[in-house]
Amino acid sequence: MFGNQRLLARYLQEAQASPEPTIRFEHMDVTGPAGPLPRQAEFLGNRPPSLDRAYLESILLPLAERAFRRPLTERERQVLLDSSIAHGDSAPAPEYAVHYGVRRLLLSPHFLYLELGDREMDDFGLASRLSYFLWSTMPDEELFSLARDGSLSEPGTLRDQVRRMVRHPRAQQFVRSFSGQWLGGRKASSVMVCDVRHVWSELIRYGIVRSTEMFFDEILQKNLPIRTFIDSDFTYANEPMRIAWGIPGSEVDLHRLEADQRQSLLWPEPERLSLASLGPEVPSHVASRGGVLGLTSVFAATGDGVESSPILRGVWVLENLFGRPLPPPPADVPALVADISEARTVREVLSAHQQVRKCAMCHSRIDPIGLALEHYDAVGGWRDEYFRDDPENGTAKPVTATATMTDGTSLEGAQGLKDYLAERPGQFTRALAGLLLQYGTGREPTSHDKRVLRDIVAAEPEEGYGLLELVTSLVGSSAFASR
């Protein structure tokens, strides 16, 4: 503000010192607007607002149906119109009746809450739940039309609508939101990475979030088997990620790419990487990046940006891939601290926890999974040895990613964990179906929901569900159509 005042003062001095004639404004009147703004005319019509009941019906009732995402009952119509007219009678201008009606709609619980009413949904409730599930917004006119004639809940119609909505660009909101929650994109987009030991940049952060979304989107759009999430022959990576992975072919470094991005404001988009056609010059670990357990976002989200955590990774895999969440600790049991004073490696630290019986109950399930993923550092980079405590004189400790599950199965790295999970497809199907149902309904699974999930898993074909097929099965279930 002060800079502008000094600039105006300098201009005034220059004008006064100039011999050329100047123009001086003595007075100015501004009137307007001459007519209603375009958006006002579109909403209120071209005539001035009035307290005419038919006029208020034409303005408020269509808005109310969109706000409530259903037709109003006769009583709701009467209360809305009568209260608006009464308010307009006591207001200084008739347009206040419209203002009041709009405020009443926006403060109604039927607008603020997606679902109110009995346990069983009608077609309008189903249209809203389906739309917010796949589009994160209110239903479009086609869904409203099907709900009005009562045909939306018919299995064939519902199946066709799911396919239509998944193909629509709005479905990208489902891809971003669900994959962001499930596969760590949300946390990876904000995790702080300040450790210079990691190869990292904001371009890599952008790449790992977008590559996760694109990986999920391909499985959805092509209806690939959900087992593709366990292991796949493709992934996505942008150029900064390829540089971090050691893939040859880039002629610039990360610093140059960051400088280019700041100038162009264009972020390097991920591209599909076929893992089955990698050349011999590509590091061998890149071939193991298929499936969810190769996505960088998962590892970045289960770390703190500095160190990896086998415990957090083990818990994440149990909950999100095996569908076996750990029970909460008993409320009356104090925190237990294992003696790790003599531990020198991560494996020794975890082993110390298992020496405590109450700790071992959970750690015997968590630790083997986390240890199998130890080749990935805190941001998903590959490592064959841990960082040295003393960079000058310390000795680097090699990474060993072998472990034994509670049933005696030996795991050899992330691939061993993928193989273990692939041999138990029903567990993953139930885990993914449960996550999708919880996302779509916005509630923890009820006992009824769990029975429905068991039936869906039992009906899985031998070749496995495609992702779109699984979504369609869930949408058509009684669990999805109940509050």
Side-chain angles (χ1 to χ4, degrees), residues 203 239 252-268:
L203 303 184
E239 188 172 6
V252 296
D253 58 15
L254 285 176
H255 296 296
R256 173 62 183 276
L257 288 176
E258 287 179 323
D260 291 344
Q261 188 277 327
R262 284 193 293 268
Q263 292 180 7
S264 65
L265 301 181
L266 296 177
W267 295 83

Side-chain angles (χ1 to χ4, degrees), residues 43 50 57 86 91 107 144 182 256 269-270 301 317 415 443 467:
F43 177 60
S50 68
E57 285 182 355
L107 291 173
F144 275 135
W182 178 36
R256 173 62 183 276
E269 282 291 303
V317 170
Q415 189 59 51
R443 65 165 184 263
L467 179 56

Side-chain angles (χ1 to χ4, degrees), residues 160-180:
D160 292 342
Q161 286 302 305
V162 170
R163 294 182 181 277
R164 176 183 75 89
M165 296 174 71
V166 165
R167 303 287 186 259
H168 196 283
R170 290 179 184 172
Q172 289 302 305
Q173 186 60 44
F174 166 65
V175 171
R176 286 191 294 270
S177 297
F178 183 74
S179 69

Side-chain angles (χ1 to χ4, degrees), residues 113-128:
Y113 296 96
L114 287 180
E115 299 171 6
L116 290 172
D118 299 331
R119 178 173 176 80
E120 295 300 325
M121 284 185 173
D122 60 11
D123 276 28
F124 285 100
L126 181 60
S128 287

Side-chain angles (χ1 to χ4, degrees), residues 1 64 200 210 308 399 469 480:
M1 180 178 68
W200 184 257
R210 281 292 295 133
S308 60
V399 172
E469 293 171 348
F480 189 84

Side-chain angles (χ1 to χ4, degrees), residues 283-303:
S284 59
H285 72 82
V286 178
S288 66
R289 290 191 176 267
V292 167
L293 293 178
L295 294 176
T296 314
S297 59
V298 170
F299 300 113
T302 52

Side-chain angles (χ1 to χ4, degrees), residues 104-309:
R104 187 180 183 94
L105 292 175
L106 297 181
L107 291 173
S108 170
H110 295 283
F111 170 73
L112 297 174
Y113 296 96
L114 287 180
E115 299 171 6
L116 290 172
D118 299 331
R119 178 173 176 80
E120 295 300 325
M121 284 185 173
D122 60 11
D123 276 28
F124 285 100
L126 181 60
S128 287
R129 175 166 285 184
L130 178 60
S131 184
Y132 281 94
F133 175 38
L134 295 178
W135 285 353
S136 297
T137 189
M138 65 183 300
D140 64 356
E141 185 54 39
E142 183 169 341
L143 285 172
F144 275 135
S145 178
L146 292 170
R148 288 190 192 97
D149 62 28
S151 62
L152 179 59
S153 56
E154 296 175 1
T157 303
L158 198 56
R159 180 176 60 253
D160 292 342
Q161 286 302 305
V162 170
R163 294 182 181 277
R164 176 183 75 89
M165 296 174 71
V166 165
R167 303 287 186 259
H168 196 283
R170 290 179 184 172
Q172 289 302 305
Q173 186 60 44
F174 166 65
V175 171
R176 286 191 294 270
S177 297
F178 183 74
S179 69
Q181 292 182 34
W182 178 36
L183 301 176
R186 285 188 177 180
K187 186 175 180 182
S189 64
S190 60
V191 66
M192 296 297 295
V193 181
C194 303
D195 198 321
V196 296
R197 299 175 299 176
H198 301 303
V199 180
W200 184 257
S201 77
E202 289 304 307
L203 303 184
I204 293 178
R205 184 198 302 277
Y206 173 80
I208 66 176
V209 174
R210 281 292 295 133
S211 63
T212 299
E213 295 170 356
M214 295 170 77
F215 177 76
F216 183 92
D217 189 47
E218 177 170 343
I219 298 175
L220 176 66
Q221 297 297 336
K222 294 183 178 180
N223 192 30
L224 298 180
I226 60 172
R227 296 173 187 178
T228 310
F229 286 117
I230 300 176
D231 203 359
S232 65
D233 61 357
F234 70 94
T235 190
Y236 283 84
N238 64 356
E239 188 172 6
M241 293 171 65
R242 294 170 185 244
I243 292 174
W245 292 353
I247 300 178
S250 178
E251 298 179 357
V252 296
D253 58 15
L254 285 176
H255 296 296
R256 173 62 183 276
L257 288 176
E258 287 179 323
D260 291 344
Q261 188 277 327
R262 284 193 293 268
Q263 292 180 7
S264 65
L265 301 181
L266 296 177
W267 295 83
E269 282 291 303
E271 296 180 354
R272 196 177 192 275
L273 184 62
S274 176
L275 302 178
S277 59
L278 298 176
E281 71 280 2
V282 176
S284 59
H285 72 82
V286 178
S288 66
R289 290 191 176 267
V292 167
L293 293 178
L295 294 176
T296 314
S297 59
V298 170
F299 300 113
T302 52
D304 58 5
V306 179
E307 299 292 348
S308 60
S309 172

